[in-house]
């Protein structure tokens, strides 16, 4: 485990307010990481993905850095350019807690 993860886990255990905020942002982090992983797994740079989608590279960067709130339509365009599709789930809170 990286030093950052150790530090993060320690802070999250010791600070319930921080933990609540972190958990509230988890869906956003998950989407961002999934997009980054998909892009890297297809071997595309942000610039190449921009060329395939018509979405500006700077906008892709903002999405990947958490500075933008893309629509599902935009995420679908990005996924399609990587020959992928989006899967969205609604989970009961109890199930969500046991899966984390």
């Amino acid at each position: 485990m990286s030093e950052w993860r150790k530090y993060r886990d320690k802070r999250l255990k010791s600070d319930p307010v921080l933990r609540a905020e972190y958990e509230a942002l988890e869906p956003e982090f998950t989407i961002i990481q999934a997009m980054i992983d998909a892009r890297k797994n297809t071997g595309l740079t942000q610039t190449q993905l921009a060329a395939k989608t018509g979405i500006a590279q700077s906008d892709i960067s903002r999405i990947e850095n958490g500075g933008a709130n893309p629509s599902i339509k935009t995420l679908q365009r990005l996924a399609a350019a990587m020959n992928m599709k989006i899967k969205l789930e609604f989970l009961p809170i109890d199930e969500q807690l046991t899966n984390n």
Side-chain angles (χ1 to χ4, degrees):
M1 183 181 289
S2 72
E3 290 300 314
W4 160 247
R5 288 180 195 263
K6 288 178 189 176
Y7 172 77
R8 179 198 64 194
D9 291 347
K10 182 179 178 181
R11 288 291 318 270
L12 291 175
K13 286 179 183 175
S14 66
D15 187 339
V17 174
L18 178 64
R19 182 174 183 85
E21 289 295 321
Y22 185 86
E23 288 174 352
L25 292 171
E26 186 177 7
E28 185 177 338
F29 294 149
T30 300
I31 291 168
I32 291 167
Q33 192 60 57
M35 182 180 147
I36 293 168
D37 292 345
R39 181 179 58 75
K40 288 182 177 181
N41 288 338
T42 57
L44 294 172
T45 64
Q46 289 180 353
T47 301
Q48 291 167 325
L49 185 57
K52 291 182 88 165
T53 60
I55 297 170
Q57 181 275 327
S58 59
D59 291 337
I60 292 172
S61 177
R62 273 192 286 284
I63 293 168
E64 290 188 2
N65 289 310
N69 188 11
S71 67
I72 292 190
K73 186 173 184 173
T74 297
L75 293 173
Q76 287 173 318
R77 282 176 60 194
L78 292 162
M82 296 182 281
N83 199 30
M84 296 184 177
K85 64 180 182 174
I86 296 173
K87 179 182 176 183
L88 177 68
E89 293 181 288
F90 285 78
L91 302 172
I93 291 175
D94 291 340
E95 183 178 339
Q96 182 183 9
L97 291 176
T98 60
N99 286 335
N100 290 329

